[in-house]
Amino acid sequence: HRPRPGDPHFAGRLLSFEGLAAAMPPRNVAGNVARAGAMEDYDTQQVLQLSRRQMLRRDADLEMKNTKYNMSKLQESWLKIMRSAKTKTLKKQVEIISQNHERDVDRRDAILQMLDRDLDEAEEQHQVAVRSHLLNVDRLLEIQQSRLLALEDDFNKDVQTLQKEFELERAQIQEKHALEKRELTLIIEQVDRDEKNREQADSTDYLSQLEMIRNRNIEEDHQMKSGLEQKIEDTRTKCKEKLQHYQNTTESSTADYKEDLQRDALLSKQVERKLRQVTRMHDQIQHWKLKISQNKSDCEERNAQLRTEKDHIAKHFQELKAKMNHFRSEEKKRLADLTQNARNCIKSLKDQLSLAEKILKTSQLCRKFETEREKVLPYYLSRDLLAEFEEGQMDFGDDEEDIKKELTDVGIDEWTYLDNFFKRYNKVKLDHLAIEQEGKRLHKENLQLRSILKQFLDGVSVNEDVLSQPNPLLVINGKVNLNHVPHKRIGEKKVYVEAAHHMANMAHYS
């Protein structure tokens, strides 16, 4: 950077040089004077150049102001010219657009008339479909009602059969119980009769033996009495003789002896009677003890047998009762399950019926938006992938065998019931995607048109923001400053896209 004379740093450096020159000792005075004159000339030239440069800068600023002023006038005149030209072109475009609009209105009227006729035909077809659907629904309801009635009849028959079997088994059990009860009653009566007969026989034996013993005792008593009477008579005679002799000898002790004799006879009779009673009672006690022990052993055996039979009968009764309760609970559970399944079946059928009605109503609403082609050919033709695969048009690499196996696997007929439904669903899904892509494209085009319109409005208006920016309507060398990107339009778009052409349309949209 070379210092200039007008620069303050230049003056400082000049003073420093002068001081340095004054301080240095004079060596070549003539050369120094010549050098000083050259430096003064150079400084003068620098000052002149600085003044000229300032003058040129003032002239350039004045020229710039004049240029801006003239440019604004020029732009204003150009704006008037371009506004008039743009107005003419817009009027022409409005006429063209009005003619196109009239043609579109006529075409739309024709389409509306055609759609009205299609709507009438669709309404007729809808009525026919509704009548056929109602007939099918009635037929299905009759079939389901007949199935339910048949199931109910089978259930009632099973219940009646079970009731009959239960009543029969109950009657058999009651009959067996009555028979066993009757047998036990007969056994008890027989035992009672045997005991009574045995008791009567024992009592008769006892009475007969008692009579025999009594008769024998009576006979022995008579014999003893007769013998004793005879002995007594003999003894009496002897005693009388001796008594006479004794009385004669002992008259004083005779009275005492008579009294003791009478007392001894009475006491001996009482002793004999008591001994006989004791003996008889002891024999009876032994006899009855033997009878009691025999009866006790017999009764204990019979009671043990009866108790065993009673326990066996009670156990069998409890087992039958448990089986009957288990059978009742199982049948009750089966009845509850059958009722619940029937209720669930009816509910599911009602849900399916409502779903079918909803689908039919939705299909009726969707039929209004079908095209002529969809009305004639509602289902698109699927591509024969297996034929293309065999012809070699498709290559899947290592997974070729697995894909061929999947394509050749027809599956179950029930799996193909919803193919037509999924075709329609896929077609609607593709149409939805196509409409979304078209909406995005129209939104982008709308944004571009809005940007161009804003630029145009900025170009035809005059304010500080517009004047501070380049004019978009100014044409320089055949170029326009509008930020317009030409938009590539697709041909007439079909709203309903076939599944086979979906990829091509997606490529255009992308």
Side-chain angles (χ1 to χ4, degrees):
H1 178 66
R2 186 178 180 181
R4 297 177 181 180
D7 193 356
H9 295 287
F10 177 75
R13 291 182 181 181
L14 183 61
L15 290 175
S16 63
F17 285 141
E18 290 178 354
L20 183 62
M24 290 179 63
R27 291 183 181 179
N28 191 358
V29 177
N32 290 333
V33 171
R35 192 181 295 110
M39 291 178 65
E40 288 179 359
D41 293 336
Y42 178 74
D43 292 337
T44 304
Q45 291 178 359
Q46 290 291 332
V47 170
L48 291 175
Q49 287 180 1
L50 180 62
S51 62
R52 290 172 185 173
R53 191 177 292 115
Q54 290 178 354
M55 188 181 295
L56 290 173
R57 189 178 291 112
R58 285 194 299 271
D59 293 339
D61 292 336
L62 182 61
E63 187 68 24
M64 185 65 68
K65 290 181 181 178
N66 294 329
T67 303
K68 287 183 179 180
Y69 181 72
N70 294 328
M71 184 64 69
S72 63
K73 286 185 177 181
L74 182 62
Q75 286 181 356
E76 186 177 358
S77 61
W78 269 108
L79 285 174
K80 291 180 181 179
I81 295 169
M82 292 179 71
R83 283 173 184 169
S84 62
K86 189 68 175 179
T87 303
K88 291 179 182 179
T89 55
L90 289 174
K91 286 181 180 179
K92 291 180 181 179
Q93 289 179 0
V94 166
E95 291 177 357
I96 294 169
I97 291 170
S98 63
Q99 293 175 1
N100 293 330
H101 177 67
E102 289 177 356
R103 286 195 296 272
D104 290 337
V105 168
D106 294 336
R107 183 169 55 81
R108 296 290 175 83
D109 290 336
I111 292 171
L112 288 174
Q113 292 177 1
M114 182 176 64
L115 291 175
D116 193 8
R117 290 194 300 272
D118 295 338
L119 183 63
D120 295 335
E121 294 177 358
E123 186 66 26
E124 292 178 359
Q125 294 177 0
H126 167 66
Q127 295 296 331
V128 173
V130 167
R131 287 194 293 271
S132 62
H133 169 68
L134 292 175
L135 291 174
N136 293 326
V137 169
D138 293 336
R139 193 177 298 110
L140 289 173
L141 289 175
E142 290 177 357
I143 293 170
Q144 181 63 22
Q145 199 67 27
S146 63
R147 288 180 68 253
L148 290 176
L149 291 174
L151 290 173
E152 187 176 1
D153 293 336
D154 294 336
F155 174 73
N156 292 327
K157 289 179 181 179
D158 294 336
V159 169
Q160 291 176 0
T161 305
L162 292 174
Q163 287 179 353
K164 289 179 181 179
E165 292 178 356
F166 174 74
E167 293 294 336
L168 181 61
E169 188 174 358
R170 182 180 179 183
Q172 291 177 358
I173 293 170
Q174 288 180 353
E175 185 179 357
K176 186 176 180 181
H177 175 69
L179 181 61
E180 292 177 354
K181 184 177 179 181
R182 195 180 301 112
E183 290 178 356
L184 291 174
T185 305
L186 293 174
I187 290 169
I188 292 169
E189 291 177 354
Q190 184 65 30
V191 169
D192 291 336
R193 284 196 299 271
D194 293 339
E195 291 295 328
K196 288 180 180 178
N197 293 328
R198 190 177 291 109
E199 185 179 359
Q200 289 178 0
D202 293 338
S203 62
T204 52
D205 291 338
Y206 171 72
L207 292 175
S208 63
Q209 290 179 4
L210 181 63
E211 290 295 329
M212 289 174 63
I213 293 168
R214 185 181 295 168
N215 294 327
R216 189 168 58 250
N217 289 331
I218 290 170
E219 290 177 356
E220 290 177 355
D221 190 15
H222 284 299
Q223 290 177 3
M224 289 176 64
K225 188 181 284 186
S226 61
L228 287 172
E229 286 178 355
Q230 188 177 358
K231 289 180 180 181
I232 288 169
E233 289 295 331
D234 294 336
T235 306
R236 185 178 291 125
T237 56
K238 291 179 180 180
C239 286
K240 282 181 179 181
E241 289 178 358
K242 290 180 179 182
L243 181 59
Q244 278 304 120
H245 183 269
Y246 182 72
Q247 283 178 356
N248 292 324
T249 57
T250 59
E251 289 180 358
S252 60
S253 62
T254 304
D256 297 331
Y257 174 75
K258 287 182 179 178
E259 290 178 1
D260 293 333
L261 185 61
Q262 291 178 357
R263 190 180 298 110
D264 181 61
L266 291 174
L267 290 174
S268 64
K269 289 180 180 179
Q270 290 179 359
V271 169
E272 289 178 357
R273 188 165 54 252
K274 294 295 182 181
L275 288 173
R276 285 195 300 269
Q277 289 179 358
V278 169
T279 305
R280 187 168 59 251
M281 292 298 292
H282 183 70
D283 294 336
Q284 289 179 358
I285 288 168
Q286 293 296 329
H287 174 72
W288 286 111
K289 283 183 178 180
L290 182 61
K291 294 291 287 184
I292 287 168
S293 63
Q294 292 177 356
N295 292 330
K296 185 178 180 180
S297 61
D298 295 337
C299 291
E300 286 179 353
E301 292 178 357
R302 291 174 184 172
N303 290 330
Q305 292 178 358
L306 292 173
R307 193 176 293 107
T308 305
E309 292 180 356
K310 179 184 176 182
D311 294 337
H312 181 70
I313 291 169
K315 185 177 180 181
H316 184 63
F317 173 72
Q318 293 295 331
E319 290 177 355
L320 291 177
K321 187 176 180 180
K323 288 181 180 179
M324 184 173 65
N325 292 330
H326 180 68
F327 180 74
R328 285 179 178 176
S329 63
E330 289 294 331
E331 291 300 321
K332 186 177 180 181
K333 185 177 180 182
R334 285 178 59 191
L335 179 61
D337 293 338
L338 180 61
T339 307
Q340 185 68 26
N341 291 331
R343 189 180 294 110
N344 293 333
C345 182
I346 293 171
K347 185 178 179 181
S348 63
L349 288 175
K350 288 182 180 179
D351 294 338
Q352 291 179 3
L353 179 61
S354 63
L355 180 60
E357 291 177 353
K358 185 177 179 181
I359 291 171
L360 288 176
K361 290 179 181 178
T362 308
S363 65
Q364 293 168 8
L365 294 174
C366 293
R367 189 159 182 83
K368 298 178 182 179
F369 303 99
E370 291 181 354
T371 60
E372 293 294 333
R373 182 175 181 180
E374 288 180 342
K375 290 179 181 179
V376 176
L377 186 62
Y379 306 108
Y380 63 86
L381 298 177
S382 300
R383 295 170 60 186
D384 193 358
L385 297 177
L386 184 60
E388 294 180 4
F389 182 76
E390 292 178 353
E391 290 176 0
Q393 298 179 6
M394 302 175 70
D395 186 14
F396 296 101
D398 297 335
D399 299 332
E400 184 175 353
E401 295 295 331
D402 296 336
I403 294 172
K404 185 175 181 181
K405 184 178 180 181
E406 291 293 334
L407 291 175
T408 54
D409 188 8
V410 180
I412 304 173
D413 293 337
E414 296 180 357
W415 297 353
T416 60
Y417 288 165
L418 296 176
D419 285 349
N420 292 329
F421 171 75
F422 284 119
K423 285 182 180 180
R424 295 292 294 273
Y425 178 76
N426 294 332
K427 188 172 181 298
V428 172
K429 192 68 176 177
L430 293 174
D431 293 341
H432 180 68
L433 293 174
I435 291 170
E436 287 183 354
Q437 294 291 334
E438 182 64 18
K440 292 179 181 178
R441 186 189 66 77
L442 292 175
H443 181 68
K444 185 176 180 181
E445 185 179 359
N446 190 12
L447 291 176
Q448 291 179 355
L449 292 175
R450 285 176 181 273
S451 177
I452 293 170
L453 181 61
K454 184 176 181 303
Q455 292 177 9
F456 176 75
L457 292 176
D458 292 340
V460 298
S461 61
V462 178
N463 52 35
E464 294 181 358
D465 295 334
V466 173
L467 291 176
S468 63
Q469 296 176 0
N471 192 352
L473 299 180
L474 183 62
V475 180
I476 300 174
N477 296 328
K479 295 182 180 180
V480 184
N481 291 329
L482 286 174
N483 296 325
H484 174 63
V485 179
H487 185 72
K488 296 181 180 180
R489 293 181 177 271
I490 308 173
E492 184 181 356
K493 180 185 174 299
K494 297 180 180 179
V495 178
Y496 298 99
V497 183
E498 297 295 333
H501 305 290
H502 175 60
M503 296 304 295
N505 286 333
M506 289 297 292
H508 285 298
Y509 295 145
S510 61

